Amino acid sequence: MLLKYGEALKYQREINGLSQNALAKATGLNQQMISWWEAEKGAPSIDVCVRLANFYGITLDELVGRDKK
């Protein structure tokens, strides 16, 4: 199943037990931007995606909900 990127970002945050505010503090990202991305009102840059994937210890594919075929 392929998740929408906003759902996938929220899923990763939630399975790591983080609120948007806690994620913002831990990564130095803006909480309002995290909310924006999760609502799919905009997409994070590739640099931000790499930063989040590294933070969670996962691949970019996993971060955005892309299944391996």
Side-chain angles (χ1 to χ4, degrees):
M1 178 176 98
L2 179 63
L3 296 175
K4 292 182 178 181
Y5 73 89
E7 292 173 353
L9 292 173
K10 183 176 181 179
Y11 172 77
Q12 288 299 329
R13 178 178 58 75
E14 289 180 340
I15 64 167
N16 282 280
L18 298 168
S19 66
Q20 289 179 352
N21 203 30
L23 178 60
K25 287 180 181 178
T27 60
L29 297 170
N30 182 294
Q31 183 273 324
Q32 290 174 322
M33 292 307 299
I34 294 167
S35 175
W36 188 262
W37 300 324
E38 289 183 3
E40 296 190 11
K41 294 180 181 177
S45 69
I46 189 66
D47 292 339
V48 169
C49 289
V50 169
R51 189 171 174 181
L52 287 171
N54 286 341
F55 175 77
Y56 292 132
I58 60 175
T59 67
L60 288 171
D61 282 343
E62 290 170 308
L63 180 71
V64 298
R66 182 173 181 262
D67 283 343
K68 296 178 182 174
K69 295 201 176 200

